[in-house]
């Protein structure tokens, strides 16, 4: 079982920055993709950014150039630096781990609220 613990969410003014962190523990395995998702009321959960074991990244068009996803494999940590935040970024952000080898699994964090407002 893989457990994910998130931190770093909160209230920030438009144009400000936040850094989200996600700590993974348990039987994580050696090859797994980590990702950040977000969800707002009335909309489905959407993929914000993902990163593979070898640090290949993918971003949603809405956050390209503003968000940066990274991981620290020895420490099993996932980060997301969020700059130039907009009110439209307000959402609950979820950490996700998709295990591939030696076992396949999917794990989700509890979610952390990010609110961008003046």
């Amino acid at each position: 079982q893989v457990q994910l613990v998130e931190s770093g969410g909160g209230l920030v003014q438009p144009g400000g920055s936040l850094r989200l962190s996600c700590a993974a523990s348990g039987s994580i395995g050696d090859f797994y993709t980590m990702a950040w998702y977000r969800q707002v009321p009335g909309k489905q959960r959407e993929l914000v950014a993902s990163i593979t074991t070898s640090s290949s990244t993918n971003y949603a068009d809405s956050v390209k150039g503003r968000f940066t996803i990274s991981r620290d494999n020895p420490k099993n940590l996932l980060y997301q630096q969020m700059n130039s935040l907009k009110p439209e970024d307000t959402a609950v952000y979820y950490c996700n781990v998709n295990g591939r080898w030696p076992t396949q699994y999917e794990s989700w964090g509890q979610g952390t609220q990010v609110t961008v407002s003046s």
Side-chain angles (χ1 to χ4, degrees):
Q1 183 178 354
V2 175
Q3 295 179 323
L4 305 177
V5 180
E6 300 160 315
S7 62
L11 174 65
V12 65
Q13 293 185 334
S17 299
L18 284 174
R19 192 191 194 200
L20 303 181
S21 299
C22 174
S25 61
S27 302
I28 303 170
D30 295 312
F31 295 92
Y32 52 95
T33 298
M34 306 186 81
W36 290 101
Y37 286 74
R38 68 185 181 187
Q39 188 169 28
V40 298
K43 300 183 68 176
Q44 292 188 321
R45 190 173 300 182
E46 65 173 351
L47 176 65
V48 177
S50 65
I51 183 168
T52 66
T53 306
S54 60
S55 296
S56 178
T57 58
N58 180 67
Y59 296 92
D61 289 340
S62 59
V63 306
K64 286 181 179 177
R66 299 188 298 119
F67 291 10
T68 302
I69 188 172
S70 61
R71 63 191 286 173
D72 184 339
N73 288 335
K75 297 181 179 180
N76 297 321
L77 293 174
L78 174 70
Y79 302 103
Q80 182 165 269
Q81 181 66 42
M82 307 163 67
N83 298 327
S84 301
L85 284 163
K86 305 174 181 179
E88 306 90 88
D89 295 317
T90 297
V92 177
Y93 285 72
Y94 297 90
C95 178
N96 168 269
V97 173
N98 195 328
R100 293 303 183 190
W101 191 90
T103 58
Q104 294 181 249
Y105 65 88
E106 187 173 52
S107 183
W108 292 90
Q110 78 283 0
T112 183
Q113 177 71 48
V114 172
T115 302
V116 185
S117 177
S118 59

